[in-house]
Amino acid sequence: MEDAPKLTFKYGWDERDEAETLMKGCRSDGIVQIADGRTYSVYFIDPIRLQQDLEAEVECGYPFLAPPALIVVPELTLNAMSNAITQLWKQGYFNAFTPLIEVSESHLVA
């Protein structure tokens, strides 16, 4: 069986990010790297932030919210995001996306 994917973040991840990401409710700089080298950009969000963002878009006249590769998790902990990536990979989720061509520096966290 192929090795599980690695989750990194373009802007890194440290203890401060752990607290701030949980409070903010979204993280748009996720990078998933598959063992064969393919990489994918992902956007994490929790249900509360999703609702807030959708309401803000509706107020601006856009009755939708559609960030590419949006992944909704109950809360934005590193463990929850990493588990979601592993489960989605097992389900073939990333096969439906075009890999990134080039990834600027990202920081391995999981």
Side-chain angles (χ1 to χ4, degrees):
M1 183 172 185
E2 193 176 353
D3 292 330
K6 305 286 189 254
L7 175 61
T8 63
F9 292 92
K10 183 175 181 180
Y11 302 111
W13 185 274
D14 59 24
E15 288 181 21
R16 183 176 178 181
D17 290 304
E18 185 77 36
E20 288 181 358
T21 301
L22 186 59
M23 289 187 298
K24 187 177 175 186
C26 67
R27 188 73 191 238
S28 63
D29 66 329
I31 304 290
V32 175
Q33 183 172 15
I34 307 299
D36 66 6
R38 291 176 291 154
T39 57
Y40 302 89
S41 178
V42 292
Y43 185 111
F44 293 100
I45 196 164
D46 70 23
I48 293 169
R49 180 64 187 262
L50 178 62
Q51 181 177 356
Q52 292 169 342
D53 286 1
L54 179 57
E55 289 171 355
E57 290 297 313
V58 169
E59 286 179 18
C60 291
Y62 301 100
F64 57 86
L65 181 68
L70 179 67
I71 301 171
V72 182
V73 292
E75 63 179 4
L76 266 66
T77 63
L78 186 55
N79 189 50
M81 292 183 283
S82 295
N83 287 339
I85 292 302
T86 299
Q87 290 303 311
L88 289 167
W89 168 73
K90 287 178 182 177
Q91 295 171 11
Y93 176 81
F94 297 102
N95 296 334
F97 295 99
T98 302
L100 296 173
I101 295 186
E102 181 178 322
V103 176
S104 57
E105 181 179 342
S106 62
H107 304 277
L108 183 65
V109 295

